[in-house]
Each structure stands twice: as structure tokens, then as C-alpha cells.
Amino acid sequence: HISDIKIPGQDSQAIAGWNGTGPYLIENNYLEGAGENVLFGGSDPSVPDLVPSDITIRRNYFTKPLEWRGQKWVVKNAFELKNARRVLVEGNVFEHVWVAGQAGYAILFSTRNQDGRAPWSVVEDVTFRYNVIRHAANAINISGYDNLHPSAQGSRYRISHNLVYDINGATWGGGGNFVQIGNQPRDIVVEHNTVSHTGNVVTVYGKRDGAPAAVDGFIFRDN
């Protein structure tokens, strides 16, 4: 049980990791963190070519107390991957994410070479299934390449059999979007999800070298 993790002026996490190889198991916990409840990446590894790998996150309860809304804490998202490989996220509850320090996406898969010294950074081979996302401004944001520093291309995401509801721009701020995709990730499958939201189903954006950046291998079916 990890709770009351908050600080003004910077990110705070219940659990964060960036400099270990894995495997990691995070299972059956109550997790409160203002910035990101759980984050992998966010700082450059000191070991060349290191990507935290073989991460299992199962049956956890991710939340932020509603009294934090409008207070001085930096509030961002529930779960974020910036540098991670072979990740299973299964059977968790993610809730209470509003527009504050970011645009209010509950879940981020966003490749980031955070400080510019880790160009091998990547988010790839992620399975996100049987989860609940609720009471948030937006649901899922996927970004392929780092738009500020060199990185590898994020790829192979499967988002399936999730229940997503009360993704509501009027209540929580933001757009009420289900999935946003930018900076050219590839091989994304979104299938068998049940979603109640107020904004766009899918938003795709981004350019590379001045040309529109296609999202190759995108499958959206049976939702």
C-alpha cells in the first residue's frame, strides 16, 4: 500500500524505475502518486543500451485522491512507459486523472530519450488487457519516436478486452478521447474494448522530415 505521494513543482511516483534490466513484477497493490502512479523511464539509464524489460503489472489499483484536484501538486497520469520492453499490464484499475500538469491521459506509451543520452530508448512489445480505465479526461496516448531527441521507434502494442468509461472532457477537462497516436509508432492493435467517452475515438497526428508520418500496421476492430 503506497499512498500520499505528492510534491509541488516536480513529478512524484509511487513506483519508478529506469536503470535496471528487469524482470519486474508489480502485483496486487494500492498505488497513489501525483505525477505518475507508476513510471518506467523518465531518466536516462547509466548502462549503455539498457531498456527495462519483462515487466508484469497485474491486479493493482491506481488512483489519485480527488482532493488533490486544484491543489499545488503536479498531477499528470496513472501509468507511463518511456523506456520499456516486453510489458504485460493486466487486470488493473486506473482512475482519477484530470487536466493539470498534462492533458489528462490516464495511460501513456511514449518513447522518450529523456535527457538526450540514451538514443536506444524505446517502448515496444506491450500488452494492455483486461483493465479498467475510468474517471479521466482522456484514456490512452501512444507516441512512437521521441520528438525532441533521437530514439528507436515504438512498436507492437496490443490493447484488448478493456473496459473504459467516464472519459469525459466536461467533467475532467481535456478532450474525452479514447486513443491518441502520434510520432509514428507502428503495429498497434486495438480490439475487443468497451468504451464510453465524449471525444474522438482515434486521433492520429505527426510528421517526420516535413511529411505526414504514417502509422503502419494499425488495426482497430471489434470494439
Side-chain angles (χ1 to χ4, degrees):
H1 182 106
I2 303 175
S3 62
D4 204 34
I5 308 302
K6 60 188 190 292
I7 192 169
Q10 68 184 68
D11 286 11
S12 54
Q13 300 90 21
I15 298 175
W18 60 87
N19 205 46
T21 58
Y24 296 93
L25 173 64
I26 300 172
E27 185 170 24
N28 194 29
N29 304 284
Y30 177 90
L31 301 169
E32 279 182 10
E36 303 86 9
N37 298 54
V38 172
L39 168 68
F40 280 90
S43 187
D44 291 345
S46 61
V47 180
D49 300 319
L50 188 147
V51 177
S53 300
D54 302 306
I55 301 166
T56 299
I57 299 171
R58 181 185 291 127
R59 296 192 303 114
N60 301 283
Y61 181 31
F62 293 68
T63 191
K64 302 179 195 293
L66 291 178
E67 57 264 30
W68 289 358
R69 194 173 184 184
Q71 294 185 353
K72 60 186 177 181
W73 323 117
V74 176
V75 172
K76 289 190 173 180
N77 58 70
F79 177 62
E80 183 167 11
L81 300 175
K82 293 186 174 184
N83 186 28
R85 175 182 290 132
R86 294 190 300 275
V87 183
L88 173 63
V89 185
E90 181 178 67
N92 304 277
V93 174
F94 303 91
E95 69 174 15
H96 295 165
V97 178
W98 53 88
V99 172
Q102 286 182 338
Y105 280 88
I107 310 297
L108 278 78
F109 306 140
S110 179
T111 297
R112 291 288 168 188
N113 173 8
Q114 187 73 30
D115 303 310
R117 299 186 301 270
W120 60 86
S121 297
V122 70
V123 177
E124 62 185 6
D125 298 308
V126 177
T127 299
F128 186 90
R129 66 189 184 191
Y130 305 118
N131 301 288
V132 174
I133 306 172
R134 64 190 183 191
H135 314 319
N138 302 284
I140 299 170
N141 188 7
I142 301 172
S143 181
Y145 288 101
D146 189 333
N147 62 314
L148 300 175
H149 300 292
S151 76
Q153 182 184 27
S155 63
R156 297 185 297 279
Y157 308 95
R158 182 172 295 272
I159 299 166
S160 66
H161 299 95
N162 301 287
L163 174 62
V164 182
Y165 67 93
D166 189 28
I167 307 303
N168 190 309
T171 303
W172 304 102
N177 300 319
F178 174 36
V179 179
Q180 178 172 279
I181 303 170
N183 300 314
Q184 204 173 14
R186 62 176 301 133
D187 300 328
I188 301 170
V189 178
V190 181
E191 62 182 359
H192 298 293
N193 301 284
T194 299
V195 186
S196 176
H197 66 117
T198 62
N200 289 353
V201 179
V202 178
T203 299
V204 182
Y205 71 92
K207 293 183 176 182
R208 285 185 65 79
D209 301 322
V215 179
D216 294 319
F218 178 54
I219 298 171
F220 187 93
R221 63 189 174 199
D222 299 325
N223 298 288

